[in-house]
Amino acid sequence: MRFEGTQDYIADKDLMIAVNAAITLERPLLVKGEPGTGKTELARQIAKALKLDFIEWNVKSTTRAQQGLYEYDAVSRLRDSQLGDSRFNDIRNYIRRGKLWDAFSREEKAVLLIDEIDKADIEFPNDLLQELDRMEFFVYETGETVKAKQRPIVIITSNNEKELPDAFLRRCFFHYIRFPDIETLQAIVDVHFPGIRQDLVRAALTRFFEIRDMPGLKKKPSTSEALDWIRLLVSDDIDPVDLRTDAKNTLPKLHGALVKNEQDIHLFERLAFMARR
């Protein structure tokens, strides 16, 4: 079982090595990188390439680790007991399975994505240490132990919003997705827009990397934003000549796809003003 990329996802050699190492070691793969560099999509493409079921757990600031295992709905059970509902007699009727339980119960190996783990509380990764290491957990309400029938391939993504505990990091194989160079980004564009005009792509990517390299830029545009921008350029049939830097207006055409805050817009406006002087 080896991952070698897909037709829809350009994976460099280092990334493929990391994925396959995590599969061999049966360790979670912790993937970091700038937002929009394909961390989440990687998990989907691994599942697609290896023909495995895909299970996604989107982590939010309010997410608790216990929710990934199961939740016991005590309120519903109390209400049913008051109403005389026969469901009350079986506590299993009030256990809601989480994403880890779902992955553990599969007869075949699955890909489990724990997306943006750094959004949750700092204790969230520590609370999953034993479950991800042993691939089992105990259900106190029923007295049963849930053990993975097939150890899932676990992909964990992080945007580096907060540091993860050392004990958690020790249990993971780590890979940082570097921002693609212009040749790799060209290949990604060709995958998403087959048959696109190459003169437009070259002009767009040249302008895109000029923007990313601008000193003082608060938010650099990402890969996904580059794809959105190029899609708009194609839709509006923009002439590649119109993408060149203009002293009167350094903001690129359809800049709303790339520049996402007023501070960076003001930066472009100041540069244009200085250029006119």
Side-chain angles (χ1 to χ4, degrees):
M1 183 175 289
R2 292 187 62 81
F3 175 68
E4 297 179 351
T6 69
Q7 292 182 343
D8 301 322
Y9 189 89
I10 304 297
D12 63 23
K13 182 179 178 181
D14 289 342
L15 178 54
M16 288 188 286
I17 289 173
V19 171
N20 291 317
I23 293 173
T24 300
L25 294 173
E26 295 187 324
R27 295 276 189 181
L29 175 62
L30 174 61
V31 185
K32 291 187 178 183
E34 291 183 33
T37 50
K39 299 185 297 297
T40 300
E41 186 61 24
L42 171 64
R44 296 192 181 98
Q45 294 301 322
I46 292 172
K48 178 179 179 181
L50 302 181
K51 296 180 172 58
L52 302 175
D53 287 344
F54 177 66
I55 301 168
E56 184 173 4
W57 184 13
N58 294 303
V59 177
K60 302 177 181 179
S61 60
T62 56
T63 303
R64 296 177 292 106
Q66 181 64 33
Q67 292 172 314
L69 308 178
Y70 70 93
E71 291 184 279
Y72 170 52
D73 190 353
V75 174
S76 293
R77 193 176 188 219
L78 175 61
R79 182 193 62 223
D80 288 348
S81 70
Q82 294 170 339
L83 296 174
D85 193 316
S86 60
R87 283 168 46 86
F88 166 78
N89 297 316
D90 188 351
I91 198 171
R92 289 178 175 82
N93 290 325
Y94 305 94
I95 301 290
R96 291 200 294 266
R97 296 184 176 190
K99 298 295 185 180
L100 265 73
W101 192 332
D102 188 11
F104 288 2
S105 64
R106 298 294 174 102
E107 296 292 338
E108 303 293 334
K109 187 181 289 290
V111 174
L112 170 64
L113 169 65
I114 304 177
D115 201 23
E116 298 190 335
I117 194 171
D118 51 330
K119 278 188 175 180
D121 184 84
I122 189 61
E123 292 303 321
F124 180 91
N126 281 332
D127 291 343
L128 291 177
L129 284 179
Q130 297 301 322
E131 288 77 10
L132 291 177
D133 198 27
R134 298 179 181 176
M135 288 290 161
E136 65 179 38
F137 61 90
F138 186 71
V139 182
Y140 293 95
E141 288 77 9
T142 63
E144 64 180 311
T145 297
V146 176
K147 188 177 179 66
K149 296 179 179 180
Q150 294 288 339
R151 197 177 184 99
I153 298 171
V154 181
I155 309 298
I156 303 172
T157 70
S158 168
N159 286 327
N160 258 344
E161 292 184 9
K162 60 171 69 81
E163 290 295 323
L164 299 174
D166 288 345
F168 180 80
L169 295 175
R170 283 198 302 272
R171 289 166 167 81
C172 298
F173 192 92
F174 173 76
H175 182 76
Y176 183 85
I177 297 182
R178 294 182 177 85
F179 196 85
D181 57 24
I182 192 167
E183 291 80 13
T184 304
L185 193 50
Q186 167 94 50
I188 294 172
V189 170
D190 290 341
V191 164
H192 285 81
F193 307 108
I196 189 174
R197 290 168 49 196
Q198 291 304 305
D199 58 339
L200 176 59
V201 174
R202 285 191 296 272
L205 292 183
T206 298
R207 188 75 182 96
F208 175 78
F209 278 96
E210 287 175 355
I211 294 169
R212 275 190 59 88
D213 291 340
M214 282 182 60
L217 200 66
K218 182 177 180 181
K219 182 194 175 301
K220 294 183 179 182
S222 68
T223 304
S224 60
E225 288 164 335
L227 294 173
D228 287 344
W229 185 50
I230 291 173
R231 180 181 178 184
L232 290 173
L233 297 178
V234 172
S235 176
D236 283 16
D237 196 24
I238 298 295
D239 191 323
V241 175
D242 293 337
L243 297 178
R244 295 174 184 171
T245 304
D246 188 334
K248 294 182 178 179
N249 185 8
T250 58
L251 274 168
K253 298 286 185 181
L254 301 165
H255 63 268
L258 299 178
V259 185
K260 299 298 178 72
N261 61 70
E262 62 278 10
Q263 178 178 317
D264 288 341
I265 290 177
H266 293 331
L267 174 62
F268 278 97
E269 291 172 344
R270 288 196 301 271
L271 291 173
F273 175 75
M274 292 171 63
R276 287 195 295 270
R277 294 183 63 187

